[in-house]
mmCIF file of all heavy atoms in Angstrom:
data_model
loop_
_atom_site.group_PDB
_atom_site.id
_atom_site.type_symbol
_atom_site.label_atom_id
_atom_site.label_comp_id
_atom_site.label_asym_id
_atom_site.label_seq_id
_atom_site.Cartn_x
_atom_site.Cartn_y
_atom_site.Cartn_z
ATOM 1 N N ALA A 1 -19.012 89.364 121.101
ATOM 2 C CA ALA A 1 -19.475 90.484 120.288
ATOM 3 C C ALA A 1 -18.308 91.197 119.626
ATOM 4 O O ALA A 1 -17.309 91.456 120.257
ATOM 5 C CB ALA A 1 -20.242 91.481 121.173
ATOM 6 N N PRO A 2 -18.427 91.549 118.323
ATOM 7 C CA PRO A 2 -17.321 92.162 117.599
ATOM 8 C C PRO A 2 -17.270 93.670 117.757
ATOM 9 O O PRO A 2 -16.839 94.371 116.881
ATOM 10 C CB PRO A 2 -17.630 91.770 116.146
ATOM 11 C CG PRO A 2 -19.119 91.755 116.108
ATOM 12 C CD PRO A 2 -19.550 91.229 117.475
ATOM 13 N N TYR A 3 -17.754 94.198 118.879
ATOM 14 C CA TYR A 3 -17.745 95.636 119.100
ATOM 15 C C TYR A 3 -17.645 95.867 120.596
ATOM 16 O O TYR A 3 -17.793 94.956 121.392
ATOM 17 C CB TYR A 3 -19.028 96.281 118.540
ATOM 18 C CG TYR A 3 -20.285 95.604 119.020
ATOM 19 C CD1 TYR A 3 -20.814 95.906 120.273
ATOM 20 C CD2 TYR A 3 -20.922 94.634 118.250
ATOM 21 C CE1 TYR A 3 -21.945 95.258 120.732
ATOM 22 C CE2 TYR A 3 -22.047 93.999 118.708
ATOM 23 C CZ TYR A 3 -22.562 94.312 119.935
ATOM 24 O OH TYR A 3 -23.684 93.679 120.391
ATOM 25 N N SER A 4 -17.401 97.095 120.980
ATOM 26 C CA SER A 4 -17.328 97.423 122.399
ATOM 27 C C SER A 4 -18.277 98.570 122.701
ATOM 28 O O SER A 4 -18.632 99.341 121.826
ATOM 29 C CB SER A 4 -15.898 97.828 122.778
ATOM 30 O OG SER A 4 -15.487 98.944 122.029
ATOM 31 N N GLY A 5 -18.651 98.679 123.952
ATOM 32 C CA GLY A 5 -19.518 99.765 124.372
ATOM 33 C C GLY A 5 -20.986 99.406 124.234
ATOM 34 O O GLY A 5 -21.375 98.648 123.353
ATOM 35 N N PRO A 6 -21.828 99.938 125.112
ATOM 36 C CA PRO A 6 -23.251 99.615 125.086
ATOM 37 C C PRO A 6 -23.970 100.318 123.942
ATOM 38 O O PRO A 6 -23.576 101.399 123.499
ATOM 39 C CB PRO A 6 -23.745 100.143 126.439
ATOM 40 C CG PRO A 6 -22.808 101.268 126.753
ATOM 41 C CD PRO A 6 -21.467 100.841 126.217
ATOM 42 N N ALA A 7 -25.015 99.695 123.451
ATOM 43 C CA ALA A 7 -25.867 100.320 122.446
ATOM 44 C C ALA A 7 -26.926 101.159 123.148
ATOM 45 O O ALA A 7 -27.187 101.004 124.339
ATOM 46 C CB ALA A 7 -26.527 99.251 121.585
ATOM 47 N N GLN A 8 -27.549 102.058 122.381
ATOM 48 C CA GLN A 8 -28.641 102.856 122.940
ATOM 49 C C GLN A 8 -29.942 102.077 123.000
ATOM 50 O O GLN A 8 -30.880 102.484 123.677
ATOM 51 C CB GLN A 8 -28.833 104.129 122.108
ATOM 52 C CG GLN A 8 -27.888 105.262 122.486
ATOM 53 C CD GLN A 8 -26.463 104.974 122.041
ATOM 54 O OE1 GLN A 8 -26.224 104.660 120.885
ATOM 55 N NE2 GLN A 8 -25.514 105.073 122.954
ATOM 56 N N GLY A 9 -30.029 100.970 122.278
ATOM 57 C CA GLY A 9 -31.240 100.165 122.312
ATOM 58 C C GLY A 9 -30.941 98.708 122.039
ATOM 59 O O GLY A 9 -30.012 98.375 121.305
ATOM 60 N N ARG A 10 -31.731 97.828 122.673
ATOM 61 C CA ARG A 10 -31.566 96.380 122.472
ATOM 62 C C ARG A 10 -32.932 95.772 122.178
ATOM 63 O O ARG A 10 -33.878 95.942 122.946
ATOM 64 C CB ARG A 10 -30.930 95.728 123.707
ATOM 65 C CG ARG A 10 -29.419 95.947 123.714
ATOM 66 C CD ARG A 10 -28.788 95.695 125.065
ATOM 67 N NE ARG A 10 -29.099 94.458 125.740
ATOM 68 C CZ ARG A 10 -28.298 93.366 125.774
ATOM 69 N NH1 ARG A 10 -27.167 93.363 125.119
ATOM 70 N NH2 ARG A 10 -28.636 92.314 126.475
ATOM 71 N N ILE A 11 -33.007 95.056 121.056
ATOM 72 C CA ILE A 11 -34.257 94.471 120.593
ATOM 73 C C ILE A 11 -34.058 92.990 120.308
ATOM 74 O O ILE A 11 -33.070 92.600 119.686
ATOM 75 C CB ILE A 11 -34.752 95.171 119.305
ATOM 76 C CG1 ILE A 11 -35.153 96.621 119.590
ATOM 77 C CG2 ILE A 11 -35.938 94.421 118.698
ATOM 78 C CD1 ILE A 11 -35.523 97.403 118.338
ATOM 79 N N VAL A 12 -34.996 92.172 120.776
ATOM 80 C CA VAL A 12 -35.051 90.779 120.356
ATOM 81 C C VAL A 12 -36.052 90.685 119.209
ATOM 82 O O VAL A 12 -37.214 91.090 119.349
ATOM 83 C CB VAL A 12 -35.471 89.850 121.516
ATOM 84 C CG1 VAL A 12 -35.808 88.450 120.972
ATOM 85 C CG2 VAL A 12 -34.357 89.751 122.547
ATOM 86 N N PHE A 13 -35.596 90.176 118.078
ATOM 87 C CA PHE A 13 -36.404 90.041 116.867
ATOM 88 C C PHE A 13 -36.723 88.554 116.724
ATOM 89 O O PHE A 13 -35.868 87.756 116.352
ATOM 90 C CB PHE A 13 -35.600 90.558 115.673
ATOM 91 C CG PHE A 13 -36.369 90.652 114.388
ATOM 92 C CD1 PHE A 13 -37.634 91.207 114.346
ATOM 93 C CD2 PHE A 13 -35.806 90.194 113.204
ATOM 94 C CE1 PHE A 13 -38.329 91.315 113.142
ATOM 95 C CE2 PHE A 13 -36.489 90.296 112.001
ATOM 96 C CZ PHE A 13 -37.751 90.857 111.969
ATOM 97 N N ALA A 14 -37.952 88.178 117.060
ATOM 98 C CA ALA A 14 -38.328 86.762 117.133
ATOM 99 C C ALA A 14 -39.298 86.410 116.022
ATOM 100 O O ALA A 14 -40.186 87.196 115.670
ATOM 101 C CB ALA A 14 -38.957 86.462 118.494
ATOM 102 N N MET A 15 -39.126 85.192 115.496
ATOM 103 C CA MET A 15 -39.973 84.761 114.393
ATOM 104 C C MET A 15 -40.356 83.295 114.501
ATOM 105 O O MET A 15 -39.572 82.476 114.979
ATOM 106 C CB MET A 15 -39.263 85.005 113.056
ATOM 107 C CG MET A 15 -39.028 86.467 112.746
ATOM 108 S SD MET A 15 -38.286 86.701 111.114
ATOM 109 C CE MET A 15 -39.639 86.136 110.077
ATOM 110 N N ASP A 16 -41.556 83.012 114.052
ATOM 111 C CA ASP A 16 -42.042 81.650 113.893
ATOM 112 C C ASP A 16 -41.392 81.078 112.634
ATOM 113 O O ASP A 16 -41.586 81.609 111.541
ATOM 114 C CB ASP A 16 -43.566 81.700 113.754
ATOM 115 C CG ASP A 16 -44.205 80.336 113.561
ATOM 116 O OD1 ASP A 16 -43.488 79.391 113.184
ATOM 117 O OD2 ASP A 16 -45.430 80.231 113.756
ATOM 118 N N ALA A 17 -40.589 80.029 112.793
ATOM 119 C CA ALA A 17 -39.911 79.411 111.646
ATOM 120 C C ALA A 17 -40.460 78.019 111.371
ATOM 121 O O ALA A 17 -39.739 77.128 110.939
ATOM 122 C CB ALA A 17 -38.405 79.348 111.889
ATOM 123 N N THR A 18 -41.758 77.828 111.640
ATOM 124 C CA THR A 18 -42.371 76.561 111.285
ATOM 125 C C THR A 18 -42.616 76.527 109.778
ATOM 126 O O THR A 18 -42.527 77.538 109.092
ATOM 127 C CB THR A 18 -43.667 76.339 112.067
ATOM 128 O OG1 THR A 18 -44.520 77.488 111.941
ATOM 129 C CG2 THR A 18 -43.363 76.109 113.539
ATOM 130 N N ALA A 19 -42.935 75.345 109.244
ATOM 131 C CA ALA A 19 -42.821 75.068 107.815
ATOM 132 C C ALA A 19 -43.569 76.044 106.911
ATOM 133 O O ALA A 19 -43.060 76.441 105.855
ATOM 134 C CB ALA A 19 -43.294 73.640 107.540
ATOM 135 N N SER A 20 -44.749 76.466 107.295
ATOM 136 C CA SER A 20 -45.569 77.295 106.408
ATOM 137 C C SER A 20 -45.046 78.708 106.242
ATOM 138 O O SER A 20 -45.554 79.466 105.414
ATOM 139 C CB SER A 20 -47.007 77.354 106.943
ATOM 140 O OG SER A 20 -47.038 78.002 108.206
ATOM 141 N N ARG A 21 -44.025 79.070 107.001
ATOM 142 C CA ARG A 21 -43.620 80.464 107.032
ATOM 143 C C ARG A 21 -42.346 80.788 106.245
ATOM 144 O O ARG A 21 -41.817 81.884 106.354
ATOM 145 C CB ARG A 21 -43.433 80.896 108.497
ATOM 146 C CG ARG A 21 -44.751 80.853 109.271
ATOM 147 C CD ARG A 21 -44.672 81.619 110.549
ATOM 148 N NE ARG A 21 -43.834 82.782 110.454
ATOM 149 C CZ ARG A 21 -44.191 83.926 109.878
ATOM 150 N NH1 ARG A 21 -45.379 84.050 109.331
ATOM 151 N NH2 ARG A 21 -43.353 84.926 109.836
ATOM 152 N N GLN A 22 -41.849 79.865 105.434
ATOM 153 C CA GLN A 22 -40.610 80.118 104.707
ATOM 154 C C GLN A 22 -40.671 81.362 103.815
ATOM 155 O O GLN A 22 -39.757 82.187 103.845
ATOM 156 C CB GLN A 22 -40.218 78.901 103.865
ATOM 157 C CG GLN A 22 -38.843 79.020 103.214
ATOM 158 C CD GLN A 22 -37.700 78.947 104.236
ATOM 159 O OE1 GLN A 22 -37.583 77.981 104.961
ATOM 160 N NE2 GLN A 22 -36.874 79.987 104.285
ATOM 161 N N PRO A 23 -41.728 81.570 103.013
ATOM 162 C CA PRO A 23 -41.770 82.788 102.184
ATOM 163 C C PRO A 23 -41.748 84.066 103.013
ATOM 164 O O PRO A 23 -41.102 85.046 102.646
ATOM 165 C CB PRO A 23 -43.087 82.640 101.411
ATOM 166 C CG PRO A 23 -43.382 81.181 101.430
ATOM 167 C CD PRO A 23 -42.883 80.698 102.755
ATOM 168 N N HIS A 24 -42.453 84.060 104.139
ATOM 169 C CA HIS A 24 -42.495 85.238 105.005
ATOM 170 C C HIS A 24 -41.141 85.458 105.685
ATOM 171 O O HIS A 24 -40.723 86.590 105.907
ATOM 172 C CB HIS A 24 -43.595 85.073 106.052
ATOM 173 C CG HIS A 24 -44.937 84.781 105.467
ATOM 174 N ND1 HIS A 24 -45.732 85.746 104.899
ATOM 175 C CD2 HIS A 24 -45.615 83.607 105.331
ATOM 176 C CE1 HIS A 24 -46.853 85.204 104.458
ATOM 177 N NE2 HIS A 24 -46.803 83.911 104.706
ATOM 178 N N TRP A 25 -40.479 84.372 106.022
ATOM 179 C CA TRP A 25 -39.148 84.470 106.634
ATOM 180 C C TRP A 25 -38.177 85.127 105.664
ATOM 181 O O TRP A 25 -37.421 86.021 106.023
ATOM 182 C CB TRP A 25 -38.651 83.072 107.017
ATOM 183 C CG TRP A 25 -37.315 83.074 107.684
ATOM 184 C CD1 TRP A 25 -36.098 83.212 107.078
ATOM 185 C CD2 TRP A 25 -37.060 82.989 109.092
ATOM 186 N NE1 TRP A 25 -35.100 83.184 108.024
ATOM 187 C CE2 TRP A 25 -35.655 83.060 109.255
ATOM 188 C CE3 TRP A 25 -37.874 82.848 110.205
ATOM 189 C CZ2 TRP A 25 -35.069 82.989 110.513
ATOM 190 C CZ3 TRP A 25 -37.276 82.784 111.450
ATOM 191 C CH2 TRP A 25 -35.883 82.852 111.595
ATOM 192 N N ASP A 26 -38.175 84.679 104.416
ATOM 193 C CA ASP A 26 -37.261 85.230 103.414
ATOM 194 C C ASP A 26 -37.508 86.721 103.215
ATOM 195 O O ASP A 26 -36.571 87.503 103.053
ATOM 196 C CB ASP A 26 -37.423 84.481 102.094
ATOM 197 C CG ASP A 26 -36.990 83.028 102.188
ATOM 198 O OD1 ASP A 26 -36.225 82.701 103.118
ATOM 199 O OD2 ASP A 26 -37.425 82.220 101.352
ATOM 200 N N ARG A 27 -38.770 87.111 103.227
ATOM 201 C CA ARG A 27 -39.103 88.528 103.074
ATOM 202 C C ARG A 27 -38.565 89.340 104.243
ATOM 203 O O ARG A 27 -37.922 90.372 104.048
ATOM 204 C CB ARG A 27 -40.639 88.678 102.997
ATOM 205 C CG ARG A 27 -41.124 90.117 102.934
ATOM 206 C CD ARG A 27 -42.646 90.183 103.018
ATOM 207 N NE ARG A 27 -43.143 89.703 104.303
ATOM 208 C CZ ARG A 27 -44.428 89.613 104.611
ATOM 209 N NH1 ARG A 27 -45.346 89.926 103.725
ATOM 210 N NH2 ARG A 27 -44.797 89.194 105.814
ATOM 211 N N ALA A 28 -38.783 88.857 105.446
ATOM 212 C CA ALA A 28 -38.342 89.590 106.632
ATOM 213 C C ALA A 28 -36.824 89.680 106.714
ATOM 214 O O ALA A 28 -36.285 90.635 107.273
ATOM 215 C CB ALA A 28 -38.900 88.951 107.896
ATOM 216 N N ALA A 29 -36.129 88.690 106.174
ATOM 217 C CA ALA A 29 -34.665 88.692 106.215
ATOM 218 C C ALA A 29 -34.095 89.929 105.534
ATOM 219 O O ALA A 29 -33.057 90.462 105.937
ATOM 220 C CB ALA A 29 -34.115 87.427 105.551
ATOM 221 N N HIS A 30 -34.770 90.406 104.521
ATOM 222 C CA HIS A 30 -34.292 91.589 103.805
ATOM 223 C C HIS A 30 -34.874 92.884 104.380
ATOM 224 O O HIS A 30 -34.205 93.917 104.416
ATOM 225 C CB HIS A 30 -34.637 91.456 102.320
ATOM 226 C CG HIS A 30 -33.952 90.295 101.662
ATOM 227 N ND1 HIS A 30 -32.650 90.345 101.233
ATOM 228 C CD2 HIS A 30 -34.396 89.043 101.394
ATOM 229 C CE1 HIS A 30 -32.305 89.173 100.715
ATOM 230 N NE2 HIS A 30 -33.350 88.361 100.804
ATOM 231 N N ILE A 31 -36.088 92.817 104.866
ATOM 232 C CA ILE A 31 -36.747 94.013 105.400
ATOM 233 C C ILE A 31 -36.103 94.509 106.689
ATOM 234 O O ILE A 31 -36.100 95.712 106.967
ATOM 235 C CB ILE A 31 -38.243 93.700 105.642
ATOM 236 C CG1 ILE A 31 -38.962 93.551 104.307
ATOM 237 C CG2 ILE A 31 -38.906 94.793 106.473
ATOM 238 C CD1 ILE A 31 -40.392 93.075 104.459
ATOM 239 N N GLN A 32 -35.531 93.612 107.495
ATOM 240 C CA GLN A 32 -35.025 93.988 108.806
ATOM 241 C C GLN A 32 -33.986 95.097 108.776
ATOM 242 O O GLN A 32 -33.751 95.768 109.781
ATOM 243 C CB GLN A 32 -34.448 92.768 109.524
ATOM 244 C CG GLN A 32 -33.376 91.997 108.757
ATOM 245 C CD GLN A 32 -32.001 92.613 108.783
ATOM 246 O OE1 GLN A 32 -31.681 93.360 109.706
ATOM 247 N NE2 GLN A 32 -31.210 92.341 107.783
ATOM 248 N N ALA A 33 -33.356 95.345 107.617
ATOM 249 C CA ALA A 33 -32.343 96.401 107.522
ATOM 250 C C ALA A 33 -32.894 97.768 107.907
ATOM 251 O O ALA A 33 -32.144 98.642 108.361
ATOM 252 C CB ALA A 33 -31.776 96.451 106.104
ATOM 253 N N GLU A 34 -34.191 97.943 107.751
ATOM 254 C CA GLU A 34 -34.802 99.237 108.067
ATOM 255 C C GLU A 34 -34.607 99.611 109.534
ATOM 256 O O GLU A 34 -34.510 100.794 109.868
ATOM 257 C CB GLU A 34 -36.296 99.205 107.739
ATOM 258 C CG GLU A 34 -37.025 100.535 107.946
ATOM 259 C CD GLU A 34 -36.522 101.651 107.046
ATOM 260 O OE1 GLU A 34 -36.052 101.348 105.933
ATOM 261 O OE2 GLU A 34 -36.591 102.830 107.471
ATOM 262 N N MET A 35 -34.525 98.632 110.420
ATOM 263 C CA MET A 35 -34.331 98.935 111.838
ATOM 264 C C MET A 35 -32.991 99.629 112.064
ATOM 265 O O MET A 35 -32.896 100.577 112.839
ATOM 266 C CB MET A 35 -34.425 97.657 112.670
ATOM 267 C CG MET A 35 -35.828 97.095 112.759
ATOM 268 S SD MET A 35 -35.969 95.686 113.904
ATOM 269 C CE MET A 35 -35.226 94.379 112.926
ATOM 270 N N PHE A 36 -31.958 99.137 111.403
ATOM 271 C CA PHE A 36 -30.636 99.754 111.549
ATOM 272 C C PHE A 36 -30.573 101.101 110.835
ATOM 273 O O PHE A 36 -30.005 102.059 111.335
ATOM 274 C CB PHE A 36 -29.557 98.811 111.005
ATOM 275 C CG PHE A 36 -29.413 97.539 111.771
ATOM 276 C CD1 PHE A 36 -30.011 96.372 111.324
ATOM 277 C CD2 PHE A 36 -28.690 97.493 112.957
ATOM 278 C CE1 PHE A 36 -29.875 95.180 112.025
ATOM 279 C CE2 PHE A 36 -28.553 96.309 113.669
ATOM 280 C CZ PHE A 36 -29.149 95.156 113.199
ATOM 281 N N ASP A 37 -31.171 101.161 109.637
ATOM 282 C CA ASP A 37 -31.137 102.403 108.872
ATOM 283 C C ASP A 37 -31.844 103.539 109.610
ATOM 284 O O ASP A 37 -31.403 104.683 109.591
ATOM 285 C CB ASP A 37 -31.796 102.201 107.505
ATOM 286 C CG ASP A 37 -31.013 101.252 106.610
ATOM 287 O OD1 ASP A 37 -29.810 101.041 106.895
ATOM 288 O OD2 ASP A 37 -31.596 100.719 105.652
ATOM 289 N N ALA A 38 -32.944 103.202 110.272
ATOM 290 C CA ALA A 38 -33.761 104.227 110.922
ATOM 291 C C ALA A 38 -33.023 104.936 112.042
ATOM 292 O O ALA A 38 -33.276 106.108 112.322
ATOM 293 C CB ALA A 38 -35.049 103.611 111.458
ATOM 294 N N VAL A 39 -32.101 104.242 112.709
ATOM 295 C CA VAL A 39 -31.425 104.839 113.865
ATOM 296 C C VAL A 39 -29.979 105.219 113.558
ATOM 297 O O VAL A 39 -29.240 105.591 114.457
ATOM 298 C CB VAL A 39 -31.457 103.872 115.079
ATOM 299 C CG1 VAL A 39 -32.894 103.542 115.452
ATOM 300 C CG2 VAL A 39 -30.680 102.586 114.785
ATOM 301 N N GLY A 40 -29.605 105.176 112.297
ATOM 302 C CA GLY A 40 -28.212 105.429 111.934
ATOM 303 C C GLY A 40 -27.678 106.767 112.385
ATOM 304 O O GLY A 40 -26.490 106.896 112.713
ATOM 305 N N ASN A 41 -28.536 107.773 112.435
ATOM 306 C CA ASN A 41 -28.084 109.124 112.787
ATOM 307 C C ASN A 41 -28.364 109.508 114.232
ATOM 308 O O ASN A 41 -28.004 110.611 114.653
ATOM 309 C CB ASN A 41 -28.744 110.150 111.855
ATOM 310 C CG ASN A 41 -28.302 109.989 110.421
ATOM 311 O OD1 ASN A 41 -27.138 109.683 110.145
ATOM 312 N ND2 ASN A 41 -29.219 110.202 109.491
ATOM 313 N N ILE A 42 -29.017 108.610 114.994
ATOM 314 C CA ILE A 42 -29.381 109.008 116.358
ATOM 315 C C ILE A 42 -28.806 108.089 117.423
ATOM 316 O O ILE A 42 -28.888 108.398 118.614
ATOM 317 C CB ILE A 42 -30.918 109.083 116.523
ATOM 318 C CG1 ILE A 42 -31.568 107.723 116.212
ATOM 319 C CG2 ILE A 42 -31.506 110.173 115.655
ATOM 320 C CD1 ILE A 42 -33.068 107.702 116.466
ATOM 321 N N GLY A 43 -28.219 106.971 117.045
ATOM 322 C CA GLY A 43 -27.665 106.075 118.056
ATOM 323 C C GLY A 43 -27.367 104.713 117.472
ATOM 324 O O GLY A 43 -27.357 104.525 116.256
ATOM 325 N N THR A 44 -27.116 103.760 118.352
ATOM 326 C CA THR A 44 -26.797 102.404 117.925
ATOM 327 C C THR A 44 -27.826 101.423 118.464
ATOM 328 O O THR A 44 -28.450 101.650 119.506
ATOM 329 C CB THR A 44 -25.400 101.981 118.412
ATOM 330 O OG1 THR A 44 -25.320 102.186 119.829
ATOM 331 C CG2 THR A 44 -24.326 102.780 117.719
ATOM 332 N N LEU A 45 -27.970 100.324 117.743
ATOM 333 C CA LEU A 45 -28.991 99.342 118.055
ATOM 334 C C LEU A 45 -28.384 97.945 118.005
ATOM 335 O O LEU A 45 -27.676 97.600 117.059
ATOM 336 C CB LEU A 45 -30.121 99.449 117.026
ATOM 337 C CG LEU A 45 -31.345 98.552 117.214
ATOM 338 C CD1 LEU A 45 -32.136 98.994 118.437
ATOM 339 C CD2 LEU A 45 -32.231 98.638 115.964
ATOM 340 N N ASP A 46 -28.641 97.160 119.040
ATOM 341 C CA ASP A 46 -28.250 95.754 119.054
ATOM 342 C C ASP A 46 -29.507 94.915 118.882
ATOM 343 O O ASP A 46 -30.517 95.150 119.557
ATOM 344 C CB ASP A 46 -27.587 95.382 120.382
ATOM 345 C CG ASP A 46 -26.160 95.896 120.486
ATOM 346 O OD1 ASP A 46 -25.605 96.319 119.458
ATOM 347 O OD2 ASP A 46 -25.613 95.881 121.600
ATOM 348 N N ILE A 47 -29.434 93.920 117.988
ATOM 349 C CA ILE A 47 -30.583 93.052 117.732
ATOM 350 C C ILE A 47 -30.151 91.599 117.840
ATOM 351 O O ILE A 47 -29.108 91.212 117.315
ATOM 352 C CB ILE A 47 -31.198 93.316 116.347
ATOM 353 C CG1 ILE A 47 -31.732 94.753 116.258
ATOM 354 C CG2 ILE A 47 -32.330 92.325 116.066
ATOM 355 C CD1 ILE A 47 -32.358 95.097 114.928
#
């Protein structure tokens, strides 16, 4: 890990990557930033 110290929260972000889901995968790849943005002022998050 390129950081030290524990985070305030740890989340596993799991996805079905079977063939029919490529468009949904691409969408989620960009949307996931909201998780980090939401906690920027209250703590740290490891995903």
Side-chain angles (χ1 to χ4, degrees):
Y3 51 81
S4 59
Q8 277 72 52
R10 280 163 50 101
I11 293 175
V12 168
F13 188 46
M15 295 184 66
D16 179 341
T18 51
S20 64
R21 295 196 34 77
Q22 187 70 58
H24 305 282
W25 182 282
D26 294 340
R27 176 186 65 183
H30 297 279
I31 290 173
Q32 55 79 25
E34 184 63 29
M35 289 187 284
F36 295 99
D37 293 341
V39 301
N41 295 323
I42 59 175
T44 53
L45 183 69
D46 284 347
I47 298 180

